Amino acid sequence: MFHPRRTLRALLLPLAAGLALAALPAGTAHAASTLANTGFETDGTGAAVPSGWSEYGDTGASYVEAGGHGGSYRLSHYSASAYKVETYQYLSGLANGNYKLTAWVRSGGGQNSAHLALKNCGGTEQRTDLPVSTSGWIHLVVPVSVTNNQCTISVSSDANAGNWINVDDLTFTSGTTGLSVKGSDISSLAKSEAYGGVYRTGSGTTGDALAILKSAGMNYARLKVWVNPADGYNNKARVLAMAKRVKARGMKLLVDFHYSDTWADPGTQTKPAAWAGHTYSQLKTDVYNHTYDVLNALKSQGTTADMVQIGNEINGGMLWSEGSTDNFAQLAGLLNSGYDAAKAVSSSTVVALHLAKGGDLTGTRWWFDTALADGVKFDAIGLSYYGYWHGSLHDFQTTLDDAASRYAKPVFVAETAYPFRLDSDDALVNQIDTTGELVSGYPATTTGQSNWLRDVMNIVEAVPSGRGLGVFYWEATWTAVTGNGWDPADASSGNGWENQALFGFDDKALPAMSVFSHR
């Protein structure tokens, strides 16, 4: 079918970008090497075409209004009827090299597409989609390699009636970004396979789950280690076996020490049974010996851990009650025992501390301020961030960016996940199973799951000073397999998480998996 508008646009945009024509669809080309009117302050409220910018499409939907991020005004896209519009600026005379666009954005969601883009720069167009954030501003970054001395900076919306976005305070500067960690926790995989779990590619071909994840872009695996679990999984021997598979795929390894025989999290930090009657002094030795033993065994078989967590979601401490945050000096001693053991095995292993509640700025500051005052040693900060429990994307970015700058440490998301459906594939009710529990703008669909992971990755990539390491998706392979339930002491316990795995109820890889290939 012939689409005159589409054909006209295909002709006009390359011309506008490549030749800096004086006559453009709306506005005037800004043929310069620096971005103009970056805060949309030049014209004031009501400017139909912001100075320095050009527009294409349904231009009435693009305008300047009051309510800026930094200054008084912002760019908005909105119309009471469906619209497609692009607000853009053409730069020429650029020195070739790496650049990055940053911007502060908000979006009510619901668009077919709403994104920042860098195009006609000599290579592949780079874009970053706007996350749904109806109140707090989100900072985004888009990297690009300029190879032909020019680039077009674009804000685009393909929107339904009533959809809106705000954009403000853009920068376009030399530099680059990216994520070095694109990983997943696969602690459930060995037991799943033992009980008959099957994994398939998106097209339905049965394969090795690790190979499928790696081919989708995953470069890191996270494995928890328990001391003496009831089912014999997630212990030293099992971690050693899975580490061989991880490294054989050319992937890196994060070992997550729980210092327990079962789940450790903000509500439960139970000592291993073998350490139950030990004094605080003995517990420090226990932590050192257990940490050293597991990591040295990994090193001896040629699968040295690249990163280690000393504790799992230790907001309230670990090894209760001796290691509770109620006695932070003692907790500090236990954490440093783990740190010292990890470094004794491999000085290059990154030692991280991991808290839950990734949107809790006050709590995160209190914890790490206290840890530093008590001399706790660490190399990186990991936060769990589940949007249905831990605050808005704005809260998360605020906390993550603050931790990176306040402690001058790299940061990463140790855990995140999102449902692709709400119903259950086994008898156990899912942890997230109603629409009321979902994050606004992110439905429990394969698209909603993909968009969630994409937007969390975008926020980590935008951490200032390149301190955003990346993201681990939690339990990508934990599908509903009889016998592989949540309780290591109860073979009949079910899985409340299979609707948040990265393999569907038909065992096929889900679209969200492709987000691992994020830049």
Side-chain angles (χ1 to χ4, degrees):
M1 183 182 295
F2 178 66
H3 294 280
R5 168 174 282 187
R6 186 175 302 164
T7 304
L8 179 63
R9 182 176 185 181
L11 291 170
L12 279 172
L13 285 183
L15 287 172
L19 301 177
L21 297 183
L24 290 171
T28 303
H30 176 65
S33 59
T34 55
L35 205 56
N37 193 15
T38 57
F40 304 98
E41 299 296 308
T42 302
D43 311 290
T45 295
V49 183
S51 295
W53 294 84
S54 302
E55 296 175 346
Y56 183 78
D58 299 312
T59 58
S62 173
Y63 51 90
V64 175
E65 64 179 345
H69 166 262
S72 300
Y73 305 103
R74 67 196 184 203
L75 174 71
S76 293
H77 285 180
Y78 167 81
S79 176
S81 55
Y83 63 94
K84 295 181 182 180
V85 70
E86 179 177 19
T87 310
Y88 64 96
Q89 213 173 124
Y90 162 65
L91 300 183
S92 63
L94 296 171
N96 287 336
N98 291 321
Y99 289 83
K100 58 183 180 180
L101 172 72
T102 70
W104 290 89
V105 304
R106 298 191 299 199
S107 172
Q111 300 90 348
N112 301 315
S113 175
H115 60 265
L116 308 173
L118 295 170
K119 52 191 180 178
N120 307 312
C121 308
T124 305
E125 175 182 328
Q126 297 295 321
R127 64 169 57 177
T128 295
D129 295 272
L130 272 61
V132 178
S133 183
T134 57
S135 55
W137 291 87
I138 302 287
H139 193 215
L140 295 182
V141 61
V142 194
V144 73
S145 177
V146 172
T147 59
N148 63 352
N149 305 111
Q150 64 183 20
C151 199
T152 298
I153 287 83
S154 167
V155 180
S156 295
S157 294
D158 177 355
N160 299 300
N163 294 163
W164 61 270
I165 65 169
N166 302 147
V167 178
D168 203 2
D169 294 337
L170 296 96
T171 71
F172 185 70
T173 56
S174 296
T176 190
T177 67
L179 296 176
S180 59
V181 173
K182 290 169 278 191
S184 176
D185 193 301
I186 55 167
S187 298
S188 64
L189 179 57
K191 190 173 180 181
S192 173
E193 291 171 334
Y195 281 84
V198 174
Y199 299 90
R200 308 181 195 279
T201 64
S203 60
T205 304
T206 301
D208 175 73
L210 263 180
I212 295 169
L213 288 164
K214 172 71 185 299
S215 67
M218 190 173 92
N219 64 4
Y220 232 114
R222 179 180 187 252
L223 297 173
K224 69 170 172 273
V225 58
W226 289 336
V227 176
N228 187 25
D231 61 358
Y233 285 89
N234 299 301
N235 61 7
K236 174 186 170 184
R238 300 285 186 178
V239 168
L240 287 170
M242 187 59 74
K244 286 184 178 180
R245 291 174 57 182
V246 168
K247 293 284 188 166
R249 294 285 173 194
M251 296 159 63
K252 292 187 175 182
L253 173 65
L254 165 60
V255 178
D256 173 17
F257 284 94
H258 282 226
Y259 302 109
S260 180
D261 294 333
T262 187
W263 301 97
D265 55 44
T268 309
Q269 295 282 340
T270 305
K271 287 195 288 285
W275 307 356
H278 290 189
T279 64
Y280 169 66
S281 178
Q282 288 174 308
L283 289 172
K284 283 197 293 184
T285 302
D286 292 332
V287 168
Y288 187 97
N289 289 345
H290 171 62
T291 306
Y292 186 93
D293 179 47
V294 173
L295 296 179
N296 193 53
L298 285 165
K299 180 181 178 181
S300 296
Q301 69 171 16
T303 59
T304 300
D306 300 281
M307 192 185 300
V308 170
Q309 282 180 218
I310 306 302
N312 187 77
E313 296 190 330
I314 52 175
N315 301 62
M318 66 184 195
L319 293 167
W320 288 349
S321 60
E322 287 81 358
S324 166
T325 50
D326 291 340
N327 189 338
F328 217 111
Q330 289 194 172
L331 172 60
L334 295 169
L335 295 173
N336 283 341
S337 282
Y339 180 94
D340 291 344
K343 293 296 186 178
V345 173
S346 170
S347 61
S348 63
T349 295
V350 175
V351 180
L353 298 179
H354 170 210
L355 301 186
K357 304 181 182 179
D360 180 7
L361 175 63
T362 302
T364 302
R365 277 186 173 182
W366 174 84
W367 200 98
F368 280 100
D369 283 358
T370 308
L372 286 173
D374 281 326
V376 175
K377 295 176 284 189
F378 61 99
D379 303 325
I381 294 171
L383 298 177
S384 291
Y385 176 59
Y386 298 101
Y388 38 72
W389 292 329
H390 295 156
S392 69
L393 287 166
H394 172 74
D395 294 336
F396 164 57
Q397 182 171 62
T398 301
T399 305
L400 194 69
D401 289 357
D402 183 78
S405 62
R406 189 176 182 89
Y407 309 111
K409 300 287 187 183
V411 295
F412 64 98
V413 175
E415 298 180 18
T416 192
Y418 205 76
F420 60 92
R421 57 196 293 171
L422 292 173
D423 58 324
S424 185
D425 197 26
D426 64 8
L428 185 65
V429 172
N430 292 328
Q431 292 219 14
I432 302 299
D433 67 341
T434 65
T435 55
E437 294 172 296
L438 298 173
V439 180
S440 178
Y442 298 87
T445 62
T446 56
T447 299
Q449 183 188 52
S450 297
N451 290 351
W452 177 260
L453 181 55
R454 177 200 72 198
D455 292 347
V456 169
M457 281 189 164
N458 286 343
I459 285 173
V460 178
E461 188 173 14
V463 172
S465 304
R467 291 195 175 114
L469 291 179
V471 174
F472 289 92
Y473 193 92
W474 197 70
E475 285 287 18
T477 56
W478 199 10
T479 53
V481 174
T482 301
N484 190 23
W486 70 271
D487 186 352
D490 180 3
S492 67
S493 65
N495 177 2
W497 205 261
E498 76 273 12
N499 67 324
Q500 300 194 63
L502 292 180
F503 291 88
F505 289 4
D506 58 2
D507 301 321
K508 292 181 182 179
L510 292 167
M513 201 182 291
S514 66
V515 181
F516 282 130
S517 61
H518 176 104
R519 289 201 264 271

